[in-house]
Amino acid sequence: MIDVRSLLNDMLFDGFMIAAMIRSGWFLGCVEDVYGILVHNLSSFAISYHRRKKTATACAFAKQGRGLIKVNGQPIENIEPECLRLKAFEPVLILGQDKFANLDIRIRVKGGGMTAQIYAIRSAIAKSIVAYYAKYVDESSKNELRATLLAYDRNLLVADPRRREPKKYGGRGARARFQKSYR
């Protein structure tokens, strides 16, 4: 059996290398010992993700923490308008509070209108937790989260490509034309 502590002291592995070695089964019977080291060395797991809806852009930064979700420095419970607040909560409500218990998510959102910002926020939360689980937890739990979110609403994980069509000449909008008069 390998002495994991001396191996890690001799070789300067970073946290990602150790996590990859555990996932591949390189340590075999020493996993319990390594997890003690992992908690100490790898306490700063983090991932960043950007999502868009129309012209609104939300950047989500997920890291280990206490379960806080903040939007532009404010708790997610303070999102305005109140009628769309539940839309921003959807990923948390669908996956359950326990998945977010040891995860802090900070979101910066700008551009667009209120509705587009809310949809960008919910998409950023969903995509960041799936990416976090894929990178730092395991593949099976990531696939489970992904399947749950896709079954509820595909737009939580897949981008919505629709944009505003530009206005053209000869009318007051993209498709509408000025009324034609013969006299």
Side-chain angles (χ1 to χ4, degrees), residues 91-110:
V92 180
L93 298 174
I94 294 164
L95 299 175
Q97 198 74 25
D98 56 319
K99 302 281 189 211
F100 292 86
N102 62 346
L103 196 63
D104 281 352
I105 301 177
R106 285 182 312 163
I107 303 159
R108 289 188 327 264
V109 63
K110 61 182 179 183

Side-chain angles (χ1 to χ4, degrees), residues 4-16:
V4 179
R5 289 191 194 278
S6 64
L7 176 73
L8 292 176
N9 288 336
D10 293 344
M11 304 172 130
L12 297 174
F13 285 119
D14 65 341
F16 300 107

Side-chain angles (χ1 to χ4, degrees), residues 64-107:
Q64 278 185 340
R66 300 174 304 165
L68 299 174
I69 301 177
K70 291 195 171 193
V71 178
N72 290 342
Q74 300 289 325
I76 196 168
E77 294 84 22
N78 296 348
I79 285 184
E80 292 295 328
E82 194 174 332
C83 58
L84 288 173
R85 193 174 295 162
L86 222 56
K87 273 289 182 198
F89 276 129
E90 276 181 355
V92 180
L93 298 174
I94 294 164
L95 299 175
Q97 198 74 25
D98 56 319
K99 302 281 189 211
F100 292 86
N102 62 346
L103 196 63
D104 281 352
I105 301 177
R106 285 182 312 163
I107 303 159

